[in-house]
């Protein structure tokens, strides 16, 4: 026997599994009401050890957060050695461990994983290493203790980094695993992170006139203290940010009527922020991995600059610098080739942004399923892979060849030197391991500073099509089977035809239905040429789903009714 089943059992008894619970490791790990999570945390601790052992003792991250969810929720996700999300083929093991019904079944599940993955558990040289951190949720402390017990149950070691943003933990994990190698990513501390980003930001913006103050809504979450520390590091002469919604101590404030998710969903400014026309503002979500910008225009209209706008700003700017610097990739056969720039979006990307990227920027667009891991992997296929979800989660990935080319290209004019300097600094400024609100904010501020661009100036690139997102409560969301990067449904049979029949009645109409991976609902996204058309399309499809596919609870009056021929009757 390669581990001590008695130890696993005795520690597991301290973290009993709730009866009748069914846990699924979903898009963003386990996420639910915090009171249900104790046993899950313990078992994820076990899984982290197994993953580390499988990878020869590499450090695995465990982040305890429920992101933009309300304060009573919590969750956990594991981080791979280079900062990516847990390998998808291991998600099933997470689910298996979490649902093991008894201590004996848990021990059996561990043995199954060891066998399936051929983990040499007894090998003493591969000590398992785990690092963990948590956001500001009050439930976090006890849940961290449960993770530690899980790690201890299999004899692994764990270092607790305390309160950190999700991107901090991804960064730290990557730094720890690359220390002392040619791919060394940085000093594995929050201070190391702040120093690295501050230096890169200063390089890009040196000598340029400063932008006006940015008002930052930190969602009353971990982003508030984290960004304050960053501002102390960089100094107010380099960056002027005024943080609001920074109350991490009062109960119930986290993500409540504030934060990136709230602003994106309701297309309105958060509570706690007085926004005057012309002022610049941005929001983080509760664990500081999402970012959206916004402002009030001269007509008093709220204008959102979401993940699509951030992606297009970044892609356009990087392409411009690459062009100026005349950077080329050195191929293994000795020839040179232009950098391959690409953009990754999901079905939630506004149709206007996709047209702008394809037609104006002339950059190829790839669509993936919702969920950062899918976008991240697709972006890895480019030399410069820009990926963002419309909700503000994303980053830019540079291939090894691209970073090498930035470093080795010798510019011959001052313009070329400057563009190369910017590209090198961008590769440091942009978090390569995961979408990161702090790093993304600095990237946007740096680009806007170089271009001396206002938010309305940035916004002019293209006009969003009106869009609408609705939730429909259904009895069983698992009957909805999305295909084609979530843009269509294979099942329930016939539903997609009904949606298509409606969509073609609307100018620039687009609509899709997908089951949420984080909430027990189905989401309906609609887009059309005008706000009224968008609204109508949305309510028709919501009605079709609710009436024909298991809607539960009170039927929202705004949902429209259609007859068998697809005509709206009410
Ligand atoms: C999670 C995902 C996010 C995705 C969202 C979709 C990560 C780290 N986060 O928050 O990328 O947009 O889920 O939620 O993967 P939904 O399935 O409820 O629409
Ligand atoms: Mg988040």
């Amino acid at each position: 026997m390669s581990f001590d089943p008695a130890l696993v059992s005795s520690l597991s008894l301290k973290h009993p599994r709730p009866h009748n619970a069914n846990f699924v490791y979903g898009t963003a790990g386990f996420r639910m009401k915090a009171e249900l999570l104790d046993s899950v945390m313990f078992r994820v601790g076990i899984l982290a050890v197994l993953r580390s052992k499988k990878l020869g003792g590499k450090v695995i991250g465990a982040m305890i957060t429920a992101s933009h969810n309300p304060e009573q929720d919590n969750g956990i996700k594991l981080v791979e050695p280079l900062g990516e999300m847990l390998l998808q083929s291991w998600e099933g093991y997470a689910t298996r461990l979490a649902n093991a019904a008894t201590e004996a079944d848990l021990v059996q599940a561990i043995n199954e994983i060891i066998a399936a993955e051929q983990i040499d558990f007894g090998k003493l040289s591969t000590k398992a290493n785990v690092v963990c951190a948590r956001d500001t949720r009050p439930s976090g402390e006890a849940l961290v203790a449960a993770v530690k017990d899980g790690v201890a149950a299999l004899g692994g070691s764990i270092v607790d980094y305390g309160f950190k943003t999700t991107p901090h933990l991804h960064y730290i994990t990557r730094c720890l695993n690359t220390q002392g190698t040619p791919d060394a990513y940085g000093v594995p501390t929050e201070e190391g992170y702040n120093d690295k980003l501050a230096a890169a930001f200063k390089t890009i913006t040196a000598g340029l006139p400063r932008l006006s103050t940015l008002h930052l809504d930190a969602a009353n979450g971990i982003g508030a203290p984290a960004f304050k520390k960053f501002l102390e590091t960089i100094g107010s002469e380099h960056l002027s940010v005024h943080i609001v919604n920074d109350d991490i101590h009062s109960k119930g404030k986290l993500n409540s009527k504030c934060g990136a998710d709230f602003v994106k969903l309701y297309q309105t400014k958060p509570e706690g922020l007085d926004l005057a026309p012309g002022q610049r503002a941005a929001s983080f979500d509760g664990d500081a991995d999402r970012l959206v910008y916004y402002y009030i225009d001269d007509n008093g209209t709220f204008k959102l600059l979401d993940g699509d706008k951030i992606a297009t700003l970044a892609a356009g700017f990087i392409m411009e610098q690459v062009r100026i610097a005349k950077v080329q990739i050195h191929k293994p056969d000795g020839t040179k080739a232009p950098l391959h720039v690409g953009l990754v979006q999901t079905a939630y990307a506004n149709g206007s942004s996709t047209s702008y990227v394809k037609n104006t920027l002339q950059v190829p667009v790839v669509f993936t399923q919702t969920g950062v891991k899918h976008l991240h992997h697709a972006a890895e296929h480019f030399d410069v892979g820009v990926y963002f979800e419309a909700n503000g989660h994303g980053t830019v990935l540079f291939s090894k060849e691209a970073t090498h080319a930035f470093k080795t290209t010798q510019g011959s004019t001052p313009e070329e030197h400057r563009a190369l300097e910017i590209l090198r600094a961008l590769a440091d400024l942009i978090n390569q391991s995961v979408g990161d609100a702090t790093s993304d904010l600095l990237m946007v501020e740096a680009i806007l500073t170089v271009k001396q661009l206002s938010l309305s100036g940035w916004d002019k690139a293209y006009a969003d099509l009106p869009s609408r997102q609705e939730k429909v409560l259904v009895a069983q969301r698992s009957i909805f089977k999305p295909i084609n990067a979530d843009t269509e449904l294979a099942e329930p049979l016939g539903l997609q035809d009904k949606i298509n029949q409606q969509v073609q009645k609307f100018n620039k109409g687009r609509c899709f239905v997908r089951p949420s991976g984080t909430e027990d609902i189905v989401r309906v996204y609609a887009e059309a040429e005008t706000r009224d058309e968008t609204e109508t399309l949305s309510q028709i499809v919501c009605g079709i789903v609710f009436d024909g596919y298991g809607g539960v609870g009170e039927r929202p009056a705004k949902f429209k009714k259609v007859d068998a021929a697809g005509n709206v009757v009410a």
Side-chain angles (χ1 to χ4, degrees):
M1 184 54 75
S2 53
F3 63 95
D4 182 358
L7 181 62
V8 170
S9 294
S10 68
L11 285 172
S12 174
L13 286 169
K14 278 175 63 187
H15 305 284
R17 182 179 180 281
H19 297 296
N20 307 325
N22 181 37
F23 301 114
V24 181
Y25 195 97
T27 339
F30 291 110
R31 195 181 289 184
M32 65 199 70
K33 294 264 170 298
E35 70 230 30
L36 291 171
L37 276 167
D38 183 58
S39 67
V40 170
M41 295 286 157
F42 174 74
R43 292 156 189 230
V44 173
I46 289 178
L47 187 71
V49 171
L50 293 170
R51 185 75 191 131
S52 176
K53 286 264 186 191
K54 167 73 186 180
L55 297 174
K58 287 251 161 60
V59 181
I60 296 297
M63 182 69 201
I64 291 99
T65 177
S67 185
H68 55 280
N69 285 36
E71 188 170 293
Q72 63 270 26
D73 290 359
N74 214 326
I76 184 163
K77 49 190 171 188
L78 289 184
V79 178
E80 291 277 312
L82 291 184
E84 305 99 322
M85 304 290 169
L86 176 67
L87 191 69
Q88 228 173 314
S89 58
W90 276 60
E91 292 178 1
Y93 299 148
T95 302
R96 167 78 178 97
L97 286 174
N99 291 309
T102 59
E103 273 56 49
D105 191 22
L106 178 62
V107 167
Q108 187 181 329
I110 296 171
N111 276 318
E112 283 165 18
I113 299 169
I114 290 176
E117 292 294 329
Q118 300 180 327
I119 299 172
D120 188 355
F121 207 90
K123 204 170 161 196
L124 289 172
S125 56
T126 51
K127 177 100 181 129
N129 294 295
V130 182
V131 291
C132 70
R134 62 178 170 112
D135 69 15
T136 54
R137 282 160 212 273
S139 56
E141 190 175 355
L143 296 177
V144 166
V147 175
K148 288 179 179 171
D149 275 354
V151 172
L154 286 195
S157 77
I158 180 164
V159 179
D160 181 359
Y161 279 78
F163 293 110
K164 293 284 172 287
T165 69
T166 294
H168 280 154
L169 187 73
H170 286 253
Y171 164 88
I172 288 168
T173 307
R174 184 168 177 141
C175 290
L176 289 169
N177 285 304
T178 53
Q179 261 173 343
T181 75
D183 299 322
Y185 195 59
V187 179
T189 59
E190 184 174 351
E191 292 70 33
Y193 169 97
N194 285 343
D195 289 342
K196 179 177 175 180
L197 269 57
F201 185 83
K202 286 186 206 165
T203 302
I204 300 175
T205 57
L208 296 170
R210 298 285 164 245
L211 303 171
S212 65
T213 297
L214 179 71
H215 299 266
L216 174 62
D217 152 34
N220 295 313
I222 184 67
F227 206 84
K228 280 182 195 166
K229 275 191 228 161
F230 179 77
L231 287 175
E232 281 163 23
T233 305
I234 194 163
S236 56
E237 69 277 25
H238 292 284
L239 182 68
S240 172
V241 175
H242 171 233
I243 304 178
V244 300
N245 292 333
D246 59 350
D247 182 357
I248 56 170
H249 300 295
S250 302
K251 212 168 157 23
K253 285 205 147 183
L254 175 67
N255 295 325
S256 174
K257 303 208 171 102
C258 62
D261 197 55
F262 173 85
V263 172
K264 168 74 183 162
L265 212 56
Y266 298 100
Q267 310 257 332
T268 180
K269 73 169 192 68
E271 279 190 6
L273 171 64
D274 292 322
L275 193 59
Q279 281 184 343
R280 306 183 325 114
S283 285
F284 283 1
D285 71 340
D287 63 337
D289 61 0
R290 287 193 194 179
L291 171 73
V292 295
Y293 269 75
Y294 43 91
Y295 66 101
I296 310 251
D297 74 7
D298 298 339
N299 304 321
T301 310
F302 176 86
K303 297 286 217 162
L304 180 70
L305 293 148
D306 62 3
D308 300 339
K309 289 275 181 179
I310 297 174
T312 50
L313 179 75
F317 181 74
I318 293 169
M319 282 179 54
E320 188 180 282
Q321 301 306 310
V322 164
R323 223 172 11 242
I324 297 173
K326 304 201 179 76
V327 181
Q328 290 198 309
I329 297 291
H330 296 247
K331 301 220 287 195
D333 63 5
T335 58
K336 290 186 177 178
L339 252 77
H340 195 195
V341 181
L343 204 132
V344 186
Q345 296 190 315
T346 72
Y348 290 106
N350 195 278
S352 285
S353 74
T354 312
S355 310
Y356 174 78
V357 176
K358 284 187 183 160
N359 304 330
T360 308
L361 295 181
Q362 310 227 313
V363 167
V365 183
V366 173
F367 280 86
T368 71
Q369 272 169 272
T370 290
V372 175
K373 62 189 173 209
H374 303 294
L375 290 106
H376 190 96
H377 291 306
E380 284 173 336
H381 294 122
F382 297 100
D383 294 311
V384 179
V386 181
Y387 77 83
F388 268 89
E389 293 187 304
N391 62 27
H393 194 147
T395 189
V396 181
L397 300 183
F398 298 102
S399 69
K400 267 192 183 170
E401 291 76 17
T403 336
H404 181 75
F406 298 162
K407 281 192 187 132
T408 53
T409 305
Q410 307 281 342
S412 50
T413 65
E415 289 74 29
E416 288 174 24
H417 287 145
R418 171 74 178 135
L420 285 164
E421 181 182 56
I422 289 177
L423 288 169
R424 287 175 201 135
L426 275 179
D428 273 346
L429 185 64
I430 301 174
N431 193 330
Q432 301 291 292
S433 60
V434 76
D436 177 340
T438 303
S439 152
D440 291 340
L441 181 149
L442 295 172
M443 171 184 79
V444 169
E445 292 295 294
I447 296 173
L448 297 181
T449 305
V450 171
K451 299 184 84 74
Q452 290 293 300
L453 202 57
S454 63
L455 295 192
S456 58
W458 165 19
D459 203 12
K460 281 199 186 90
Y462 64 87
D464 274 327
L465 281 171
S467 70
R468 177 121 193 101
Q469 249 200 78
E470 282 279 358
K471 301 178 181 186
V472 183
L473 263 133
V474 292
Q476 230 190 324
R477 71 182 151 134
S478 59
I479 62 167
F480 297 84
K481 300 262 192 292
I483 48 168
N484 298 339
D486 292 338
T487 54
E488 293 187 319
L489 286 172
E491 289 176 32
L493 287 178
L495 174 54
Q496 190 59 48
D497 290 339
K498 290 184 193 164
I499 298 171
N500 294 346
Q501 183 191 20
Q502 299 300 332
V503 167
Q504 45 111 353
K505 298 178 188 166
F506 294 84
N507 291 314
K508 299 195 177 165
R510 192 164 72 88
C511 179
F512 64 91
V513 174
R514 67 171 271 279
S516 160
T518 61
E519 290 175 66
D520 201 7
I521 49 140
V522 163
R523 294 194 199 282
V524 174
Y525 177 92
E527 202 177 270
E529 184 146 37
T530 64
R531 200 144 276 296
D532 282 353
E533 284 177 288
T534 307
E535 193 64 30
T536 309
L537 174 57
S538 168
Q539 302 312 343
I540 290 175
V541 174
C542 286
I544 292 175
V545 171
F546 190 95
D547 295 333
Y549 299 88
V552 291
E554 196 178 329
R555 186 184 191 283
K558 60 185 181 182
F559 288 5
K560 297 204 181 294
K561 274 204 159 72
V562 298
D563 63 17
N567 298 313
V568 177
V569 290

